[in-house]
DNA sequence: ATTTCCCTAATACGATGTATCGCAACAGTA
DNA sequence: TACTGTTGCGATACATCGTATTAGGGAAAT
């Protein structure tokens, strides 16, 4: 019996697992933003019927959760950081860089509790860095405060970045020059402080402004950590 | 010619303006969250064809922008606040309360630059409160830092609130008791700091934790404002 | 060899955002 | 008063989406 006589084996279904699914979804999101992620497109990229995915996730939201946790793996520092301040600073900057690599992360950050394994691991090393310096409650408050800051700051930065991209102008230049409505509103004189800020404010690098605000918040945390040393 | 003889006048199209549209959209969002807002449903609530809305907005995203700016009208304080600290504190708390009234705001906050008239007005009074105390750049940094904090904190709070609502348990109790996977993961011993936080941490009121973190950040800002008095 | 069962793919459904098109009522002119 | 142009509204249409349901076919069990 030659090869020609034997029928082809039936096409086996493409092997699949969550890792592959999440990777495909992240690739789509990196290319076209969150809105480019549809279960149908993810499935297509894996040569699979859309319904197949429901064996691995039961809702699109769960896919987003998995994507976020995958990014937390990038955020998790490889080596144990030095002191608490370095740990929190690193967490903030690593999260920011992850969001710059995966802008869609900004849309998801803080949107729901992150309870995946990698997110937990990040939480663990972060809390651990504060272990010996404060009681648990203070430590949690510190982490939450810093996290709130950088979550909000990252979201704003990505939002500005997208707006710039959409208009093709830097935010500052846009406000000053062609944003016609804004220019008109500022010209009304009803917003003197804003106007001064727009025209006289220094254009500062996004990373620098992020870092500055972060150090302020870290200073605040430091004050609370050392005040009652516990 | 009696009334009976005269034909009814032709049904005039329902009068419409942005205000009505936005109000309908906000009502829908308050009832069922952002995902309950569809142009069709907004139109239906106004007894109008869906396409009619495109005379007033050109995209669903624009409707969201209008909704957000409408909420900024609630956030704008009625009386001029006292000192800068009071101004920033009030801004934070008023935004938080607005988000508790309109939970969907948390999904939109920081998602894109807020440039509507009410948002600008809020920005104006906020910046104005810092006018005499710092140069423009410092003032902007202060506002941005505080805003980043409360934006992130509000998002987290609403996210937790929804998660609690979905499971019917307080976050703390849920972690401790029935969240089976989380309990199992903590039991592995791989997350000692987290475990301690979950089991030994005090359950604190959301508003108190928001306020505490806020005061920390305000302390930090105060330090930077007074250091170089300018 | 036959039957059972599970997994896959196909089909189906209701909903969505928005483009397009045709019409009907009004304004202005003859 | 008849006619014509214009404007803006509604209906229809389309591609897409998340997901429920169904039917089929290969693997495992008998």
């Amino acid at each position: 019996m030659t090869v020609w006589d034997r029928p082809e084996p039936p096409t086996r279904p493409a092997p699949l697992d969550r890792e592959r699914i999440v990777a495909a979804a992240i690739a789509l999101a990196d290319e076209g933003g969150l809105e480019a992620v549809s279960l149908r497109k993810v499935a297509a990229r894996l040569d699979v019927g859309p319904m197949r995915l429901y064996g691995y996730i039961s809702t699109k939201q769960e896919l987003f959760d998995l994507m976020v946790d995958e990014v937390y793996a990038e955020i998790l520092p490889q080596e144990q950081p030095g002191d608490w301040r370095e740990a929190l600073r690193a967490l903030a900057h690593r999260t920011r860089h992850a969001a710059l690599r995966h802008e869609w992360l900004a849309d998801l950050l803080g949107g729901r509790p992150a309870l995946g394994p990698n997110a937990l691991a990040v939480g663990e090393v972060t809390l651990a860095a504060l272990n010996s310096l404060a009681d648990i409650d203070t430590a949690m408050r510190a982490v939450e405060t810093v996290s709130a800051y950088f979550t909000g700051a990252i979201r704003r930065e990505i939002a500005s970045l997208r707006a710039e991209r959409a208009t093709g102008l830097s935010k500052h230049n846009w406000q000053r020059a062609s944003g016609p409505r804004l220019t008109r509103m500022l010209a009304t004189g009803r917003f003197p402080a804003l106007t001064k800020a727009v025209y006289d404010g220094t254009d500062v690098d996004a990373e620098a402004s992020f870092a500055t605000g972060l150090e302020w918040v870290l200073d605040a945390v430091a004050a609370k950590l050392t005040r009652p040393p516990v």
Coordinates of all heavy atoms in Angstrom, one line a residue, chain D residues 5-22:
Chain D
dG5 P -35.0 72.8 -8.8 OP1 -34.3 73.4 -10.0 OP2 -35.4 71.3 -8.9 O5' -34.1 73.0 -7.6 C5' -33.8 74.3 -7.2 C4' -33.6 74.4 -5.7 O4' -34.9 74.1 -5.0 C3' -32.6 73.4 -5.1 O3' -31.7 74.2 -4.3 C2' -33.4 72.4 -4.3 C1' -34.6 73.2 -3.9 N9 -35.8 72.4 -3.7 C8 -36.4 71.6 -4.6 N7 -37.5 71.1 -4.2 C5 -37.7 71.6 -2.9 C6 -38.7 71.4 -2.0 O6 -39.7 70.7 -2.1 N1 -38.5 72.1 -0.8 C2 -37.4 72.9 -0.6 N2 -37.4 73.5 0.6 N3 -36.4 73.1 -1.5 C4 -36.7 72.4 -2.6
dT6 P -30.3 73.6 -3.8 OP1 -29.2 74.5 -4.1 OP2 -30.3 72.1 -4.2 O5' -30.5 73.6 -2.2 C5' -31.6 74.4 -1.7 C4' -31.8 74.0 -0.2 O4' -33.1 73.3 -0.1 C3' -30.7 73.1 0.4 O3' -30.6 73.5 1.7 C2' -31.4 71.7 0.3 C1' -32.8 72.1 0.6 N1 -33.9 71.1 0.1 C2 -35.0 70.9 0.9 O2 -35.2 71.5 1.9 N3 -35.9 70.0 0.3 C4 -35.8 69.3 -0.9 O4 -36.6 68.5 -1.2 C5 -34.5 69.5 -1.6 C7 -34.3 68.8 -2.9 C6 -33.7 70.4 -1.1
dT7 P -29.2 73.2 2.5 OP1 -28.4 74.4 2.4 OP2 -28.7 71.9 2.0 O5' -29.7 73.0 4.0 C5' -31.0 73.5 4.4 C4' -31.8 72.5 5.2 O4' -32.5 71.6 4.3 C3' -30.9 71.6 6.0 O3' -31.3 71.7 7.4 C2' -31.1 70.2 5.4 C1' -32.5 70.3 4.9 N1 -32.9 69.4 3.8 C2 -34.2 68.8 3.9 O2 -35.0 69.0 4.7 N3 -34.4 67.9 2.8 C4 -33.6 67.6 1.8 O4 -34.0 66.8 0.9 C5 -32.3 68.2 1.8 C7 -31.3 68.0 0.7 C6 -32.0 69.1 2.8
dG8 P -30.4 71.2 8.6 OP1 -30.4 72.4 9.6 OP2 -29.2 70.7 8.1 O5' -31.3 70.1 9.3 C5' -32.7 70.3 9.4 C4' -33.3 68.9 9.5 O4' -33.4 68.3 8.2 C3' -32.6 67.9 10.3 O3' -33.5 67.1 11.0 C2' -31.8 67.1 9.3 C1' -32.9 67.0 8.2 N9 -32.4 66.6 6.9 C8 -31.2 66.8 6.3 N7 -31.2 66.3 5.1 C5 -32.4 65.7 4.9 C6 -32.9 64.9 3.8 O6 -32.4 64.7 2.7 N1 -34.2 64.5 4.0 C2 -34.9 64.7 5.2 N2 -36.1 64.2 5.3 N3 -34.4 65.4 6.2 C4 -33.2 65.8 6.0
dC9 P -33.3 66.6 12.5 OP1 -33.7 67.7 13.3 OP2 -31.9 66.1 12.5 O5' -34.3 65.4 12.6 C5' -35.6 65.6 12.1 C4' -36.0 64.3 11.3 O4' -35.3 64.2 10.1 C3' -35.7 63.0 12.1 O3' -36.9 62.4 12.5 C2' -34.9 62.2 11.1 C1' -35.2 62.8 9.8 N1 -34.0 62.7 8.8 C2 -34.2 62.1 7.6 O2 -35.3 61.6 7.3 N3 -33.2 62.0 6.7 C4 -32.0 62.6 7.0 N4 -31.0 62.5 6.1 C5 -31.8 63.3 8.3 C6 -32.8 63.3 9.1
dG10 P -36.9 61.2 13.5 OP1 -38.1 61.3 14.3 OP2 -35.5 61.1 14.1 O5' -37.1 60.0 12.5 C5' -38.2 59.9 11.7 C4' -38.1 58.8 10.8 O4' -37.0 59.0 9.9 C3' -37.8 57.4 11.4 O3' -38.9 56.6 11.1 C2' -36.4 57.0 10.9 C1' -36.2 57.9 9.7 N9 -34.8 58.3 9.5 C8 -34.0 59.0 10.4 N7 -32.9 59.3 9.9 C5 -32.9 58.8 8.6 C6 -31.8 58.9 7.6 O6 -30.7 59.4 7.7 N1 -32.3 58.2 6.5 C2 -33.5 57.7 6.3 N2 -33.7 57.1 5.1 N3 -34.5 57.6 7.2 C4 -34.1 58.2 8.3
dA11 P -38.9 55.1 11.5 OP1 -40.4 54.8 11.7 OP2 -38.0 54.9 12.7 O5' -38.4 54.3 10.3 C5' -38.7 54.8 9.0 C4' -38.0 54.0 7.9 O4' -36.7 54.5 7.6 C3' -37.8 52.5 8.3 O3' -38.1 51.7 7.2 C2' -36.3 52.4 8.6 C1' -35.7 53.5 7.7 N9 -34.5 54.2 8.3 C8 -34.4 54.7 9.6 N7 -33.2 55.2 9.8 C5 -32.5 55.1 8.6 C6 -31.2 55.4 8.2 N6 -30.4 56.1 9.0 N1 -30.9 55.1 6.9 C2 -31.7 54.5 6.1 N3 -33.0 54.1 6.4 C4 -33.3 54.4 7.7
dT12 P -38.0 50.1 7.3 OP1 -39.1 49.6 6.4 OP2 -37.9 49.7 8.7 O5' -36.6 49.8 6.5 C5' -36.4 50.4 5.3 C4' -34.9 50.2 4.9 O4' -34.0 51.0 5.7 C3' -34.4 48.7 5.1 O3' -33.9 48.2 3.9 C2' -33.4 48.8 6.2 C1' -32.9 50.3 6.0 N1 -32.2 50.9 7.1 C2 -30.9 51.4 7.0 O2 -30.3 51.4 6.0 N3 -30.4 52.0 8.1 C4 -31.0 52.1 9.4 O4 -30.4 52.6 10.3 C5 -32.3 51.5 9.5 C7 -33.1 51.6 10.8 C6 -32.9 51.0 8.4
dA13 P -33.3 46.8 3.8 OP1 -33.4 46.4 2.4 OP2 -33.8 45.9 4.9 O5' -31.7 47.1 4.0 C5' -31.1 48.2 3.3 C4' -29.6 48.1 3.5 O4' -29.3 48.8 4.8 C3' -29.1 46.7 3.7 O3' -27.9 46.5 3.0 C2' -28.9 46.6 5.2 C1' -28.5 48.0 5.6 N9 -28.9 48.4 7.0 C8 -30.1 48.1 7.7 N7 -30.1 48.5 8.9 C5 -28.9 49.1 9.1 C6 -28.3 49.8 10.2 N6 -28.9 50.0 11.3 N1 -27.0 50.3 10.0 C2 -26.4 50.1 8.8 N3 -26.9 49.5 7.7 C4 -28.1 49.1 7.9
dC14 P -27.2 45.1 2.8 OP1 -26.7 45.0 1.4 OP2 -28.1 44.1 3.4 O5' -25.9 45.3 3.7 C5' -25.1 46.5 3.6 C4' -24.0 46.4 4.6 O4' -24.4 46.9 5.9 C3' -23.5 45.0 4.9 O3' -22.1 45.0 4.9 C2' -24.1 44.7 6.2 C1' -24.1 46.0 6.9 N1 -25.0 46.2 8.0 C2 -24.6 46.9 9.1 O2 -23.5 47.4 9.2 N3 -25.5 47.1 10.2 C4 -26.7 46.5 10.1 N4 -27.6 46.7 11.1 C5 -27.1 45.8 8.9 C6 -26.3 45.7 7.9
dA15 P -21.3 43.7 4.3 OP1 -20.8 43.9 3.0 OP2 -22.2 42.5 4.6 O5' -20.1 43.6 5.4 C5' -19.5 44.9 5.8 C4' -19.2 44.8 7.3 O4' -20.5 45.0 8.0 C3' -18.6 43.5 7.8 O3' -17.4 43.8 8.4 C2' -19.6 42.9 8.7 C1' -20.4 44.2 9.2 N9 -21.7 44.0 9.7 C8 -22.7 43.2 9.0 N7 -23.8 43.2 9.7 C5 -23.6 43.9 10.8 C6 -24.4 44.3 11.9 N6 -25.6 43.9 12.1 N1 -23.8 45.1 12.9 C2 -22.5 45.5 12.7 N3 -21.7 45.2 11.7 C4 -22.3 44.4 10.8
dT16 P -16.4 42.7 8.8 OP1 -15.0 43.2 8.7 OP2 -16.8 41.4 8.2 O5' -16.7 42.5 10.4 C5' -16.4 43.6 11.2 C4' -17.2 43.4 12.5 O4' -18.6 43.3 12.3 C3' -16.8 42.2 13.3 O3' -15.7 42.4 14.2 C2' -18.1 41.9 14.1 C1' -19.1 42.8 13.5 N1 -20.5 42.3 13.3 C2 -21.4 42.5 14.2 O2 -21.2 43.2 15.2 N3 -22.7 42.0 13.9 C4 -23.0 41.3 12.8 O4 -24.1 40.8 12.7 C5 -21.9 41.0 11.9 C7 -22.2 40.2 10.6 C6 -20.7 41.6 12.2
dC17 P -15.0 41.4 15.1 OP1 -13.8 41.9 15.5 OP2 -15.1 40.1 14.3 O5' -16.0 41.2 16.3 C5' -16.2 42.3 17.2 C4' -17.3 42.1 18.1 O4' -18.5 41.9 17.3 C3' -17.3 40.8 18.8 O3' -16.6 41.0 20.0 C2' -18.7 40.5 19.1 C1' -19.5 41.2 18.0 N1 -20.3 40.4 17.1 C2 -21.6 40.1 17.4 O2 -22.1 40.5 18.5 N3 -22.3 39.4 16.5 C4 -21.8 39.0 15.4 N4 -22.5 38.3 14.6 C5 -20.4 39.3 15.1 C6 -19.7 40.0 15.9
dG18 P -15.9 39.7 20.8 OP1 -14.8 40.2 21.6 OP2 -15.7 38.6 19.8 O5' -17.1 39.3 21.7 C5' -17.7 40.2 22.6 C4' -18.8 39.5 23.4 O4' -19.9 39.2 22.4 C3' -18.5 38.2 24.0 O3' -19.2 38.1 25.3 C2' -19.0 37.2 23.0 C1' -20.2 37.9 22.4 N9 -20.4 37.5 21.0 C8 -19.4 37.4 20.0 N7 -19.9 37.0 18.9 C5 -21.3 36.8 19.1 C6 -22.3 36.4 18.2 O6 -22.2 36.1 17.0 N1 -23.5 36.3 18.8 C2 -23.7 36.6 20.2 N2 -25.0 36.5 20.6 N3 -22.8 37.0 21.0 C4 -21.6 37.1 20.4
dT19 P -18.9 37.0 26.2 OP1 -19.4 37.3 27.6 OP2 -17.5 36.5 26.0 O5' -19.9 35.9 25.7 C5' -21.3 36.1 26.0 C4' -22.1 35.1 25.2 O4' -21.8 35.1 23.8 C3' -22.0 33.6 25.6 O3' -23.2 33.1 25.9 C2' -21.5 32.9 24.3 C1' -22.1 33.8 23.3 N1 -21.6 33.7 21.9 C2 -22.4 33.4 20.9 O2 -23.6 33.2 21.1 N3 -21.9 33.3 19.6 C4 -20.5 33.5 19.3 O4 -20.1 33.4 18.2 C5 -19.7 33.8 20.4 C7 -18.2 34.0 20.2 C6 -20.2 33.9 21.7
dA20 P -23.4 31.9 27.0 OP1 -23.6 32.6 28.3 OP2 -22.3 31.0 26.8 O5' -24.7 31.3 26.5 C5' -25.7 32.1 25.8 C4' -26.7 31.2 25.1 O4' -26.3 31.1 23.7 C3' -26.9 29.8 25.5 O3' -28.2 29.4 25.4 C2' -26.0 29.0 24.6 C1' -26.1 29.8 23.3 N9 -24.8 29.8 22.5 C8 -23.6 30.1 23.0 N7 -22.6 30.1 22.1 C5 -23.3 29.7 20.9 C6 -22.9 29.6 19.6 N6 -21.6 29.7 19.2 N1 -23.8 29.3 18.7 C2 -25.1 29.2 19.1 N3 -25.6 29.3 20.3 C4 -24.7 29.6 21.2
dT21 P -28.7 28.0 25.8 OP1 -30.1 28.1 26.3 OP2 -27.7 27.3 26.7 O5' -28.7 27.2 24.4 C5' -29.2 27.9 23.3 C4' -29.1 27.0 22.0 O4' -27.8 27.2 21.4 C3' -29.2 25.5 22.3 O3' -30.1 25.1 21.3 C2' -27.8 25.0 22.1 C1' -27.3 25.9 21.1 N1 -25.8 26.0 21.0 C2 -25.1 25.9 19.8 O2 -25.7 25.8 18.8 N3 -23.7 26.1 19.9 C4 -23.0 26.3 21.1 O4 -21.8 26.4 21.1 C5 -23.8 26.4 22.3 C7 -23.1 26.6 23.6 C6 -25.1 26.2 22.2
dT22 P -30.7 23.5 21.4 OP1 -32.2 23.6 21.2 OP2 -30.2 22.9 22.6 O5' -30.1 22.9 20.1 C5' -30.0 23.6 18.9 C4' -29.0 23.0 18.0 O4' -27.6 23.3 18.4 C3' -29.1 21.5 17.9 O3' -29.2 21.1 16.6 C2' -27.8 21.0 18.6 C1' -26.8 22.2 18.2 N1 -25.6 22.3 19.1 C2 -24.4 22.4 18.5 O2 -24.2 22.4 17.3 N3 -23.3 22.6 19.3 C4 -23.4 22.6 20.7 O4 -22.4 22.8 21.4 C5 -24.7 22.5 21.3 C7 -24.9 22.6 22.7 C6 -25.8 22.4 20.4

